[in-house]
Amino acid sequence: SKTAKVLELLKRPGGVTGKELMKATDWQPHSVRGFLSGTVGKKMGLTVISAKGEDGERSYSVKA
């Protein structure tokens, strides 16, 4: 499922970028952010960590 795929990517060392999540799920940027906030953060109760890299690209990860 897409949920499992997203969680797998979030658990990688270094996390995953928004672009990678959009490519993996075929979702729009607002859908990716909403899923991270609503489903992963609120429904699953996981802490989503967001960091901005030196290139300005935002990456997301969850605490294992």
Side-chain angles (χ1 to χ4, degrees):
S1 70
K2 287 187 180 179
T3 302
K5 191 186 291 184
V6 169
L7 286 174
E8 190 178 305
L9 291 170
L10 286 168
K11 290 178 182 174
R12 290 191 318 196
V16 62
T17 66
K19 284 182 184 174
E20 290 173 316
L21 286 172
M22 287 188 289
K23 190 173 183 179
T25 58
D26 283 332
W27 290 343
Q28 296 292 312
H30 63 272
S31 300
V32 169
R33 291 191 303 270
F35 180 82
L36 291 174
S37 171
T39 303
V40 178
K42 293 178 180 159
K43 288 185 181 171
M44 296 177 154
L46 298 171
T47 303
V48 179
I49 301 160
S50 168
K52 204 172 218 178
E54 291 178 19
D55 58 357
E57 180 114 31
R58 190 161 293 283
S59 65
Y60 303 95
S61 59
V62 289
K63 286 186 179 175

Coordinates of all heavy atoms in Angstrom, one line a residue:
S1 N 0.8 -1.2 0.0 CA 0.0 0.0 0.0 C 0.9 1.3 0.0 O 2.1 1.2 0.3 CB -0.9 0.0 1.2 OG -0.2 0.2 2.4
K2 N 0.3 2.4 -0.3 CA 1.1 3.6 -0.4 C 1.5 4.0 1.1 O 2.6 4.6 1.2 CB 0.2 4.7 -1.0 CG 0.1 4.6 -2.5 CD -0.5 5.7 -3.2 CE -0.6 5.5 -4.7 NZ -1.2 6.6 -5.4
T3 N 0.6 3.7 2.0 CA 1.0 4.1 3.4 C 2.2 3.3 3.8 O 3.2 3.9 4.4 CB -0.2 3.7 4.4 OG1 -1.4 4.4 4.0 CG2 0.1 4.0 5.8
A4 N 2.3 2.0 3.5 CA 3.5 1.2 3.9 C 4.7 1.7 3.2 O 5.8 1.8 3.7 CB 3.2 -0.2 3.6
K5 N 4.5 2.1 1.9 CA 5.7 2.6 1.1 C 6.2 3.9 1.7 O 7.4 4.1 1.8 CB 5.2 2.8 -0.3 CG 6.3 3.1 -1.3 CD 5.8 3.5 -2.7 CE 5.2 2.3 -3.4 NZ 4.8 2.6 -4.8
V6 N 5.3 4.8 2.1 CA 5.7 6.1 2.6 C 6.4 5.9 4.0 O 7.5 6.5 4.2 CB 4.5 7.0 2.8 CG1 4.8 8.3 3.6 CG2 3.9 7.5 1.5
L7 N 5.9 5.0 4.8 CA 6.5 4.8 6.1 C 7.9 4.2 5.9 O 8.8 4.5 6.7 CB 5.6 3.8 7.0 CG 4.4 4.5 7.6 CD1 3.5 3.4 8.2 CD2 4.8 5.6 8.5
E8 N 8.0 3.3 5.0 CA 9.3 2.7 4.7 C 10.4 3.7 4.3 O 11.5 3.7 4.8 CB 9.2 1.7 3.6 CG 10.4 0.8 3.3 CD 10.1 -0.2 2.2 OE1 9.1 -1.0 2.3 OE2 10.8 -0.2 1.2
L9 N 9.9 4.7 3.4 CA 10.8 5.8 3.0 C 11.2 6.7 4.2 O 12.3 7.2 4.3 CB 10.2 6.5 1.9 CG 10.0 5.8 0.5 CD1 9.2 6.6 -0.4 CD2 11.4 5.5 -0.1
L10 N 10.2 7.0 5.0 CA 10.4 7.9 6.2 C 11.4 7.3 7.2 O 12.1 8.0 7.9 CB 9.1 8.2 6.9 CG 8.1 9.1 6.2 CD1 6.8 9.1 6.8 CD2 8.7 10.5 6.1
K11 N 11.5 6.0 7.2 CA 12.4 5.3 8.2 C 13.8 5.2 7.7 O 14.7 4.7 8.5 CB 11.8 4.0 8.6 CG 10.5 4.1 9.4 CD 9.9 2.8 9.8 CE 8.7 2.9 10.6 NZ 8.0 1.7 10.8
R12 N 14.1 5.5 6.4 CA 15.4 5.5 5.9 C 16.4 6.4 6.7 O 15.9 7.5 7.1 CB 15.5 5.9 4.4 CG 14.8 5.0 3.5 CD 15.2 5.3 2.1 NE 15.1 6.8 1.8 CZ 15.0 7.3 0.6 NH1 15.0 6.5 -0.5 NH2 15.0 8.6 0.4
P13 N 17.6 6.0 6.8 CA 18.6 7.0 7.4 C 18.6 8.2 6.5 O 18.8 8.1 5.3 CB 19.9 6.3 7.4 CG 19.6 4.8 7.1 CD 18.2 4.8 6.4
G14 N 18.5 9.4 7.1 CA 18.5 10.6 6.3 C 17.1 11.0 5.8 O 16.9 12.1 5.3
G15 N 16.1 10.1 6.0 CA 14.7 10.5 5.6 C 14.5 10.5 4.1 O 15.2 9.8 3.4
V16 N 13.5 11.2 3.7 CA 13.0 11.3 2.3 C 12.6 12.7 2.0 O 12.0 13.4 2.8 CB 11.9 10.2 2.1 CG1 10.7 10.6 2.9 CG2 11.5 10.1 0.6
T17 N 12.8 13.1 0.8 CA 12.4 14.5 0.4 C 11.0 14.4 -0.1 O 10.4 13.4 -0.4 CB 13.3 15.0 -0.8 OG1 13.1 14.2 -1.9 CG2 14.8 15.0 -0.4
G18 N 10.4 15.6 -0.1 CA 9.0 15.7 -0.6 C 8.9 15.3 -2.1 O 7.9 14.6 -2.4
K19 N 9.9 15.6 -2.9 CA 9.9 15.2 -4.3 C 9.9 13.7 -4.4 O 9.2 13.1 -5.3 CB 11.1 15.7 -5.0 CG 11.0 17.2 -5.4 CD 12.2 17.7 -6.2 CE 12.1 19.2 -6.4 NZ 13.3 19.7 -7.0
E20 N 10.7 13.0 -3.6 CA 10.7 11.5 -3.6 C 9.4 10.9 -3.2 O 8.9 10.0 -3.8 CB 11.8 11.0 -2.7 CG 13.2 11.3 -3.2 CD 14.3 10.9 -2.2 OE1 14.1 11.2 -1.0 OE2 15.3 10.3 -2.6
L21 N 8.7 11.5 -2.2 CA 7.4 11.1 -1.8 C 6.4 11.3 -2.9 O 5.6 10.4 -3.1 CB 7.0 11.8 -0.5 CG 7.7 11.3 0.8 CD1 7.3 12.2 1.9 CD2 7.4 9.9 1.1
M22 N 6.4 12.4 -3.6 CA 5.5 12.7 -4.7 C 5.7 11.7 -5.8 O 4.7 11.2 -6.4 CB 5.7 14.1 -5.2 CG 5.1 15.2 -4.2 SD 5.1 16.8 -4.9 CE 6.9 17.2 -5.0
K23 N 6.9 11.4 -6.1 CA 7.2 10.4 -7.2 C 6.8 9.0 -6.8 O 6.2 8.3 -7.6 CB 8.7 10.4 -7.5 CG 9.1 9.7 -8.7 CD 10.6 9.9 -9.0 CE 10.9 9.2 -10.3 NZ 12.3 9.3 -10.7
A24 N 7.0 8.6 -5.5 CA 6.6 7.3 -5.1 C 5.1 7.0 -5.0 O 4.6 5.9 -5.2 CB 7.3 7.0 -3.7
T25 N 4.4 8.1 -4.8 CA 2.9 8.0 -4.5 C 2.0 8.6 -5.6 O 0.9 8.3 -5.7 CB 2.5 8.7 -3.2 OG1 2.9 10.1 -3.3 CG2 3.2 8.0 -2.0
D26 N 2.6 9.4 -6.5 CA 1.9 10.1 -7.6 C 0.9 11.1 -6.9 O -0.2 11.3 -7.5 CB 1.1 9.2 -8.5 CG 2.0 8.5 -9.5 OD1 3.0 9.1 -9.9 OD2 1.7 7.4 -10.0
W27 N 1.3 11.6 -5.8 CA 0.5 12.6 -5.1 C 1.0 14.0 -5.4 O 2.1 14.2 -5.7 CB 0.5 12.4 -3.6 CG -0.3 11.2 -3.1 CD1 -1.1 10.4 -3.8 CD2 -0.1 10.5 -1.9 NE1 -1.6 9.4 -3.1 CE2 -1.0 9.4 -1.9 CE3 0.6 10.8 -0.7 CZ2 -1.1 8.6 -0.8 CZ3 0.5 9.9 0.4 CH2 -0.4 8.8 0.3
Q28 N 0.1 15.0 -5.2 CA 0.5 16.4 -5.3 C 1.2 16.8 -4.0 O 1.0 16.2 -2.9 CB -0.8 17.3 -5.4 CG -1.5 17.0 -6.7 CD -0.7 17.5 -7.9 OE1 -0.2 18.6 -8.0 NE2 -0.6 16.6 -8.9
P29 N 1.9 17.9 -4.0 CA 2.7 18.4 -2.7 C 1.8 18.5 -1.5 O 2.1 18.1 -0.4 CB 3.3 19.7 -3.1 CG 3.4 19.7 -4.6 CD 2.2 18.8 -5.1
H30 N 0.6 19.1 -1.7 CA -0.3 19.3 -0.6 C -0.8 18.0 0.0 O -1.1 17.9 1.2 CB -1.5 20.3 -0.9 CG -2.4 19.7 -2.0 ND1 -2.1 19.9 -3.3 CD2 -3.5 19.0 -1.9 CE1 -3.1 19.3 -4.0 NE2 -3.9 18.8 -3.2
S31 N -1.0 17.0 -0.9 CA -1.4 15.7 -0.4 C -0.4 15.0 0.4 O -0.7 14.4 1.4 CB -1.8 14.8 -1.6 OG -2.8 15.4 -2.4
V32 N 0.9 15.1 0.0 CA 2.0 14.6 0.8 C 2.1 15.2 2.1 O 2.1 14.5 3.2 CB 3.3 14.7 0.0 CG1 4.5 14.4 0.9 CG2 3.3 13.9 -1.3
R33 N 2.0 16.5 2.2 CA 2.1 17.2 3.5 C 0.9 16.9 4.4 O 1.1 16.7 5.6 CB 2.2 18.7 3.3 CG 3.5 19.2 2.7 CD 3.7 20.7 2.7 NE 2.6 21.4 2.1 CZ 2.6 21.7 0.8 NH1 3.6 21.4 0.0 NH2 1.5 22.4 0.3
G34 N -0.3 16.8 3.8 CA -1.5 16.4 4.6 C -1.4 15.0 5.1 O -1.8 14.8 6.3
F35 N -0.9 14.1 4.3 CA -0.7 12.7 4.8 C 0.3 12.6 5.9 O 0.0 12.0 6.9 CB -0.3 11.8 3.6 CG -0.1 10.4 4.0 CD1 -1.2 9.5 4.0 CD2 1.2 9.9 4.3 CE1 -1.0 8.2 4.4 CE2 1.3 8.6 4.7 CZ 0.2 7.7 4.7
L36 N 1.4 13.4 5.8 CA 2.4 13.3 6.9 C 1.8 13.9 8.2 O 2.0 13.3 9.2 CB 3.6 14.1 6.4 CG 4.5 13.5 5.3 CD1 5.6 14.5 4.9 CD2 5.0 12.2 5.7
S37 N 1.1 15.0 8.0 CA 0.5 15.7 9.2 C -0.6 14.9 9.8 O -0.7 14.6 11.0 CB 0.1 17.1 8.9 OG -0.6 17.6 9.9
G38 N -1.6 14.5 9.0 CA -2.8 13.9 9.4 C -2.7 12.4 9.7 O -3.0 12.0 10.9
T39 N -2.3 11.7 8.8 CA -2.3 10.2 8.9 C -1.1 9.8 9.8 O -1.2 9.1 10.8 CB -2.2 9.5 7.6 OG1 -3.4 9.9 6.8 CG2 -2.3 8.0 7.7
V40 N 0.1 10.2 9.4 CA 1.3 9.7 10.1 C 1.4 10.4 11.5 O 1.6 9.7 12.5 CB 2.6 10.0 9.3 CG1 3.8 9.5 10.0 CG2 2.5 9.2 7.9
G41 N 1.2 11.7 11.5 CA 1.4 12.4 12.8 C 0.2 12.2 13.7 O 0.4 11.8 14.9
K42 N -1.0 12.4 13.3 CA -2.1 12.4 14.2 C -2.7 11.0 14.4 O -2.9 10.5 15.5 CB -3.2 13.4 13.8 CG -2.7 14.8 13.9 CD -3.8 15.8 13.4 CE -3.2 17.2 13.6 NZ -3.9 18.2 12.7
K43 N -3.1 10.3 13.3 CA -3.7 9.0 13.4 C -2.8 7.9 13.9 O -3.2 7.1 14.8 CB -4.3 8.6 12.1 CG -5.5 9.4 11.7 CD -6.2 8.8 10.4 CE -7.4 9.7 10.0 NZ -7.9 9.3 8.7
M44 N -1.5 7.9 13.4 CA -0.6 6.9 13.8 C 0.2 7.3 15.1 O 0.9 6.4 15.7 CB 0.4 6.6 12.7 CG -0.3 6.0 11.5 SD 0.9 5.7 10.2 CE 0.1 4.4 9.3
G45 N 0.2 8.6 15.4 CA 0.9 9.0 16.6 C 2.4 9.0 16.5 O 3.1 9.1 17.5
L46 N 2.9 9.0 15.3 CA 4.4 9.1 15.1 C 4.8 10.5 15.0 O 4.1 11.4 14.6 CB 4.8 8.3 13.8 CG 4.5 6.9 13.8 CD1 4.7 6.3 12.4 CD2 5.3 6.1 14.8
T47 N 6.1 10.8 15.4 CA 6.6 12.1 15.3 C 7.3 12.3 14.0 O 8.3 11.6 13.7 CB 7.6 12.4 16.5 OG1 6.9 12.2 17.7 CG2 8.2 13.8 16.5
V48 N 6.8 13.2 13.2 CA 7.4 13.5 11.9 C 8.4 14.6 12.1 O 8.1 15.7 12.5 CB 6.4 13.8 10.8 CG1 7.0 14.1 9.5 CG2 5.4 12.7 10.7
I49 N 9.7 14.4 11.7 CA 10.7 15.4 11.8 C 11.0 16.0 10.4 O 11.2 15.2 9.4 CB 12.0 14.7 12.3 CG1 11.7 14.1 13.7 CG2 13.1 15.8 12.4 CD1 12.8 13.1 14.1
S50 N 10.9 17.3 10.3 CA 11.1 18.0 9.1 C 12.4 18.8 9.2 O 12.6 19.5 10.1 CB 9.9 18.9 8.8 OG 10.2 19.7 7.7
A51 N 13.3 18.7 8.2 CA 14.5 19.4 8.2 C 14.8 20.0 6.8 O 14.5 19.3 5.8 CB 15.7 18.5 8.6
K52 N 15.3 21.2 6.7 CA 15.7 21.8 5.5 C 17.1 21.6 5.2 O 18.0 22.0 6.0 CB 15.3 23.3 5.5 CG 15.0 23.8 4.1 CD 14.5 25.2 4.2 CE 13.4 25.5 3.2 NZ 12.8 26.8 3.3
G53 N 17.5 21.0 4.1 CA 18.9 20.7 3.7 C 19.6 22.0 3.2 O 18.9 23.0 3.0
E54 N 20.9 21.9 3.0 CA 21.7 23.0 2.5 C 21.2 23.5 1.1 O 21.3 24.6 0.8 CB 23.1 22.7 2.4 CG 23.8 22.5 3.8 CD 25.2 22.0 3.7 OE1 25.8 22.2 2.7 OE2 25.7 21.5 4.7
D55 N 20.6 22.6 0.4 CA 20.1 22.9 -1.0 C 18.7 23.5 -1.0 O 18.2 23.8 -2.0 CB 20.1 21.6 -1.9 CG 19.3 20.5 -1.3 OD1 18.7 20.7 -0.2 OD2 19.1 19.5 -2.0
G56 N 18.2 23.7 0.2 CA 16.8 24.3 0.4 C 15.7 23.3 0.3 O 14.6 23.6 0.5
E57 N 16.0 22.0 0.0 CA 15.0 20.9 -0.1 C 14.7 20.4 1.3 O 15.5 20.2 2.1 CB 15.6 19.8 -1.0 CG 14.6 18.7 -1.1 CD 14.2 18.5 -2.6 OE1 14.9 18.9 -3.5 OE2 13.0 18.1 -2.8
R58 N 13.4 20.3 1.5 CA 12.9 19.8 2.8 C 12.9 18.3 2.8 O 12.5 17.6 1.9 CB 11.5 20.3 3.1 CG 11.0 20.1 4.5 CD 9.9 21.0 4.9 NE 10.3 22.4 5.1 CZ 11.0 22.9 6.1 NH1 11.4 22.1 7.1 NH2 11.3 24.2 6.1
S59 N 13.4 17.7 3.9 CA 13.3 16.2 4.0 C 12.5 15.8 5.3 O 12.5 16.6 6.3 CB 14.7 15.6 4.1 OG 15.4 16.0 5.2
Y60 N 11.9 14.7 5.2 CA 11.1 14.2 6.3 C 11.5 12.9 6.8 O 12.0 12.1 6.0 CB 9.6 14.1 5.9 CG 9.0 15.4 5.3 CD1 9.1 15.6 3.9 CD2 8.5 16.3 6.1 CE1 8.6 16.8 3.4 CE2 7.9 17.5 5.6 CZ 8.0 17.7 4.3 OH 7.5 18.9 3.7
S61 N 11.4 12.7 8.1 CA 11.7 11.3 8.7 C 10.9 11.1 9.9 O 10.2 12.1 10.4 CB 13.2 11.3 9.0 OG 13.5 12.3 10.0
V62 N 10.8 9.9 10.4 CA 10.1 9.6 11.6 C 11.1 9.0 12.6 O 12.1 8.4 12.2 CB 8.9 8.6 11.5 CG1 7.8 9.3 10.7 CG2 9.4 7.4 10.8
K63 N 10.8 9.2 13.9 CA 11.6 8.6 14.9 C 11.3 7.1 14.9 O 10.2 6.7 15.0 CB 11.3 9.2 16.3 CG 11.8 10.6 16.5 CD 11.6 11.0 18.0 CE 12.2 12.4 18.2 NZ 11.8 12.9 19.5
A64 N 12.4 6.3 14.8 CA 12.2 4.8 14.8 C 11.8 4.3 16.1 O 12.0 4.8 17.1 CB 13.5 4.2 14.3

